[in-house]
Amino acid sequence: MGIYKLPKSQWTKDGRKYKYYWNEKDETGKWKKKFSSAYKTKLDAMNAEREFLNEQVTYGGDMDMTFGELMTQYISFQKNRVRRRTLETYEKRKHHLKRFENVKLKDLDGEIYHQFQEDLWNKSLKCSSRNNIQKFLKAVLNWGMKRYDINLMNFYNKIEIFNDPNEIEEEKDIYTPEEFKRFISACPDLNTKVMFEILYYCGLRRGEARGLQWTDINWNEHTLSITKQ
């Protein structure tokens, strides 16, 4: 699923230029892209897409669908609903799920899951990273069950949390206020000093600091609003 803006040459006379699309199997079992009627605004197309999805809860929900097809549909569904950086994370985690890509949903079982577990154990990853990959796997399965009214719980319940008692916990470098004052005194310019002070005293993440704009400052009340990344 997704929203598509038509080339200007295909706009209707009354300015309709947005369509939503979905994937549908043809008579041979191959997936084909289908397009809706045109809408004037992107919001109109998104609302129509939502209504279409609500009417098609069981559409495409056969257990002969491969996990790769389900995962592709999930990512497509999320394109207009999550940040671009989240989509990039999906693509990175998708790479680790290749073992499931061509497996039909009806064939997902404990054996293939344990092979997947071994794949992750053999990669130089932290347990937190392995569990984040599994978090994405569970998100795809959850979405598939809700969207298509299919039961994947037998496989879902086999997913286990990774825990390595021998993993060395990464040390964190924490500055005391006195240490931070010594650090900040060496900043070469005012802009750098202000940025580090905002990061330290407000507890911002780097993405939140990069997203700051002048409009986020209330000069009268002396407040700073974190509204974006």
Side-chain angles (χ1 to χ4, degrees):
M1 300 293 294
I3 306 300
Y4 174 73
K5 185 176 182 180
L6 297 167
K8 195 166 185 179
S9 60
Q10 296 181 25
W11 293 8
T12 63
K13 291 182 179 180
D14 58 349
R16 298 176 185 271
K17 52 184 176 289
Y18 290 96
K19 291 185 177 183
Y20 64 83
Y21 63 87
W22 68 96
N23 294 316
E24 184 176 311
K25 279 186 177 180
D26 62 16
E27 297 79 9
T28 64
K30 292 184 178 180
W31 289 96
K32 299 290 185 180
K33 186 172 286 188
K34 301 284 186 177
F35 290 88
S36 69
S37 302
Y39 297 86
K40 281 190 175 182
T41 68
K42 186 175 181 179
L43 181 59
D44 288 341
M46 290 174 66
N47 289 334
E49 178 194 35
R50 190 176 298 112
E51 292 179 7
F52 173 79
L53 288 173
N54 289 336
E55 295 171 357
Q56 305 290 326
V57 173
T58 59
Y59 166 75
D62 62 281
M63 296 294 282
D64 284 325
M65 182 193 308
T66 67
F67 178 82
E69 291 170 338
L70 181 66
M71 181 166 55
T72 298
Q73 290 185 37
Y74 172 73
I75 294 175
S76 179
F77 174 80
Q78 294 286 57
K79 279 185 178 177
N80 297 312
R81 295 170 174 81
V82 298
R83 295 187 179 97
R84 177 173 53 82
R85 191 164 183 174
T86 302
L87 289 173
E88 292 172 355
T89 301
Y90 288 168
E91 291 298 328
K92 290 178 183 177
R93 292 177 182 170
K94 176 181 174 182
H95 172 74
H96 296 285
L97 302 179
K98 283 188 175 180
R99 183 172 287 277
F100 301 129
E101 194 167 10
N102 296 316
V103 179
K104 293 182 178 181
L105 298 181
K106 67 181 181 182
D107 295 329
L108 291 172
D109 58 18
E111 179 60 29
I112 194 168
Y113 172 69
H114 291 307
Q115 292 172 4
F116 161 73
Q117 266 190 324
E118 287 302 312
D119 290 343
L120 290 188
W121 276 122
N122 291 329
K123 292 179 179 179
S124 56
L125 297 170
K126 296 180 181 178
C127 277
S128 58
S129 298
R130 296 186 183 106
N131 287 321
N132 283 332
I133 293 165
Q134 291 203 134
K135 183 178 178 182
F136 176 61
L137 169 62
K138 293 172 78 171
V140 174
L141 295 172
N142 265 320
W143 182 82
M145 287 189 283
K146 292 176 182 178
R147 176 64 50 180
Y148 297 130
D149 195 25
I150 52 180
N151 188 357
L152 301 171
M153 289 305 299
N154 188 42
F155 177 73
Y156 185 95
N157 289 334
K158 289 179 170 55
I159 299 175
E160 302 170 345
I161 295 175
F162 281 93
N163 181 31
D164 183 358
N166 299 312
E167 184 173 274
I168 300 174
E169 187 175 350
E170 184 179 349
E171 290 188 17
K172 296 181 179 179
D173 190 10
I174 301 175
Y175 279 21
T176 65
E178 292 73 22
E179 289 172 332
F180 178 72
K181 287 177 182 177
R182 289 199 297 272
F183 165 77
I184 204 72
S185 65
C187 284
D189 56 73
L190 181 61
N191 287 344
T192 304
K193 181 179 180 182
V194 170
M195 179 56 70
F196 276 118
E197 286 180 331
I198 291 174
L199 288 168
Y200 184 78
Y201 291 114
C202 298
L204 268 64
R205 299 176 179 178
R206 285 177 294 179
E208 292 170 335
R210 291 193 188 104
L212 290 174
Q213 297 179 342
W214 289 112
T215 53
D216 295 322
I217 302 174
N218 187 319
W219 298 101
N220 295 325
E221 298 184 8
H222 298 174
T223 59
L224 179 68
S225 298
I226 311 304
T227 60
K228 61 185 76 65
Q229 291 189 349

